[in-house]
Amino acid sequence: MVKGRGAWLVLALSLVFLPCALAQQKGASTERSLFDAVNRERRQQGLPALKWDDALAGAAHKHAVQMAEQNSLSHQFAGEASLPARVAQAGVRHSWLAENIAQGTSAGDIHEQFMKSTAHRGNILDSDMDAVGIGVAQADGKWFAVEDFCKTK
C-alpha cells in the first residue's frame, strides 16, 4: 500500500516538474540558437564573435520573464529598473549597453525580425560590443526574447 502511494507521488511530482524542466531546456536551446545566429551574422561581416556573459544573460532572462508575464514588449515596465540598473544589479561592469527585444514563434523567427530592423541589426553588428547575454521566456506559445549587449570594462 505504501509502495503504491509512493509511486503515485512520484508520478504526480513528475507531472509537475517535468514540464518545467522541458521548458527550461527548450528555453536554453532557444537562447543558444539566438547566440549562434548573432555570432554567425558578426562573422559574415568580419566582426569578432561576442562572448557569452552569464550575468548579462541573467538580467536578460529576468526581463524576458517580465515581458512574458505582461504579454507585452517593452524595454522597461512601470516599477522595473532601467536597463543600466538591471545590468548593474546583475554585477556587469560595462562602458556601453544596447538591448534588443522581440516576440516570436521560434529563435529563427525572432532573429529574422532583429535583422530586418535597422536598430536591432545595428546592435548585433556593433563593433564596439564584446559580450552578450540572451534570455527568453515563453507564454501562450510565444517566445519573448531579450538580447543584452555590452562593451565590458
Side-chain angles (χ1 to χ4, degrees):
M1 192 71 97
V2 172
K3 192 175 189 179
R5 283 189 207 152
W8 279 109
L9 179 60
V10 168
L11 178 61
L13 290 174
S14 296
L15 292 174
V16 170
F17 292 111
L18 185 58
C20 292
L22 291 174
Q24 285 178 337
Q25 184 179 20
K26 191 166 184 178
S29 175
T30 301
E31 291 166 357
R32 180 63 194 204
S33 293
L34 288 168
F35 177 67
D36 290 344
V38 162
N39 279 326
R40 185 174 51 254
E41 297 290 348
R42 290 178 65 85
R43 276 192 307 275
Q44 289 174 356
Q45 298 300 315
L47 296 169
L50 297 175
K51 298 174 291 190
W52 179 267
D53 186 291
D54 284 331
L56 207 53
H61 178 75
K62 284 182 183 178
H63 187 61
V65 168
Q66 184 79 15
M67 290 193 311
E69 288 173 353
Q70 300 283 333
N71 195 27
S72 179
L73 292 176
S74 178
H75 287 283
Q76 183 179 8
F77 291 100
E80 183 185 31
S82 66
L83 173 61
R86 290 193 309 262
V87 169
Q89 289 167 358
V92 178
R93 294 179 37 93
H94 64 279
S95 59
W96 187 249
L97 283 173
E99 182 174 71
N100 287 350
I101 60 171
Q103 168 192 319
T105 57
S106 68
D109 174 38
I110 291 166
H111 183 70
E112 186 177 329
Q113 290 178 51
F114 287 150
M115 293 310 290
K116 286 182 178 178
S117 160
T118 303
H120 292 120
R121 180 183 175 87
N123 289 339
I124 289 169
L125 300 178
D126 188 334
S127 61
D128 290 330
M129 300 300 182
D130 60 12
V132 66
I134 299 171
V136 299
Q138 194 173 36
D140 297 327
K142 300 177 283 189
W143 287 105
F144 291 83
V146 178
E147 296 178 338
D148 285 343
F149 303 91
C150 79
K151 171 72 174 166
T152 54
K153 282 187 176 181

